[in-house]
């Protein structure tokens, strides 16, 4: 197929950049050693995400998040959800792989993904469609769900969450075997700033609690929800550990530099 005859269906997509007014809504994470006492890390930090979202001891937090995103009661997810293993190929790794019933759920946390990478991920889903650990291989009932939680947004795409499925021209869904969910945190921060806490759904409040850095703001958003409050405390505790490690490393580097300069 020549360039002239290629079928183009995609609209041009451009991420908001530093020159855009909406860029202020992107989560800006400071260097660990510079973070203030009232600041915590977000799940965009890999250590925090792994601690809060990928361990059996803290399973209730990922179940709560998925219950909002997928509209499934968290008590059902608590019984059915099992953590899986990432593929060994570094090109095909997700931040979290889990299974519930006959569904495989992949979560990817990303700061600044290129458009081509977003297009690649459905191919990843197809490639591993029948290679799910914990699900019977070659089972046509297998459903694959990919959830991207993004710290970027596109111009003209103002919603917090977009759900993508295979559809025809009449908007009829052809299959529910492959589902991609894109969540844009900058759009959520913008909504929060523009319309206030009361305009947010429980799902949106929990996403904010997991991603914003100001602890006082996070506590105001939870509105007494015990699991959200616990998530803040766990994140706060682990953030302090990460901050102390970073500061100690800086002190060691400075000490070595001073000793070498004598």
């Amino acid at each position: 197929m020549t360039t002239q005859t290629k079928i183009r269906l995609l609209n041009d997509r451009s991420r908001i950049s530093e020159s855009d007014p909406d860029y202020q809504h992107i989560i800006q994470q400071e260097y660990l050693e510079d973070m203030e006492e009232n600041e915590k890390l977000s799940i965009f930090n890999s250590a925090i995400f792994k601690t809060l979202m990928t361990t059996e001891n803290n399973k209730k937090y990922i179940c709560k998040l998925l219950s909002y995103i997928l509209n499934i009661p968290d008590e059902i997810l608590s019984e059915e959800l099992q953590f899986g293993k990432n593929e060994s190929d570094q090109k095909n790794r997700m931040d979290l792989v889990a299974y519930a019933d006959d569904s495989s759920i992949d979560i990817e946390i990303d700061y600044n993904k290129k458009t081509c990478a977003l297009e690649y991920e459905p191919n990843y889903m197809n490639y591993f469609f029948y290679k799910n650990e914990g699900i019977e291989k070659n089972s046509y009932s297998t459903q694959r769900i990919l959830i991207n939680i993004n710290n970027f947004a596109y111009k003209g795409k103002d919603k917090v969450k977009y759900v993508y499925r295979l559809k025809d021209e009449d908007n009829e869904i052809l299959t529910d075997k492959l589902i991609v969910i894109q969540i844009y945190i900058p759009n959520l921060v913008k909504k929060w700033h523009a319309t206030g806490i009361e305009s947010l759904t429980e799902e949106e409040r929990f996403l904010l609690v997991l991603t914003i850095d100001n602890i006082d703001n996070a506590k105001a958003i939870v509105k007494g929800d015990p699991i959200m409050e616990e998530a803040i405390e766990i994140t706060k505790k682990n953030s302090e550990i990460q901050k102390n490690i970073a500061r100690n490393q800086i002190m060691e580097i400075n000490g070595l530099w001073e000793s070498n300069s004598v």
Side-chain angles (χ1 to χ4, degrees), residues 161-220:
K161 180 168 72 175
Y162 290 85
V163 180
Y164 297 85
R165 300 180 180 89
L166 290 175
K167 297 181 179 181
D168 64 14
E169 292 180 348
D170 295 326
N171 209 34
E172 181 179 349
I173 297 173
L174 302 179
T175 178
D176 63 356
K177 304 299 184 186
L178 297 174
I179 299 173
V180 179
I181 300 173
Q182 300 285 359
I183 297 173
Y184 298 107
I185 297 300
N187 291 349
L188 174 54
V189 174
K190 181 180 179 180
K191 177 181 178 181
W192 168 43
H193 288 169
T195 58
I197 295 174
E198 297 303 322
S199 70
L200 305 178
T201 65
E202 287 190 23
E203 174 185 349
E204 291 170 340
R205 288 195 290 113
F206 193 37
L207 283 166
L208 275 179
V209 164
L210 296 174
T211 52
I212 62 175
D213 60 1
N214 186 280
I215 295 173
D216 288 339
N217 287 341
K219 288 182 177 180

Side-chain angles (χ1 to χ4, degrees), residues 52-64:
L52 193 64
M53 293 288 166
T54 67
T55 62
E56 195 69 32
N57 289 339
N58 292 329
K59 185 177 177 180
K60 61 183 174 182
Y61 304 112
I62 186 61
C63 287
K64 185 176 183 69

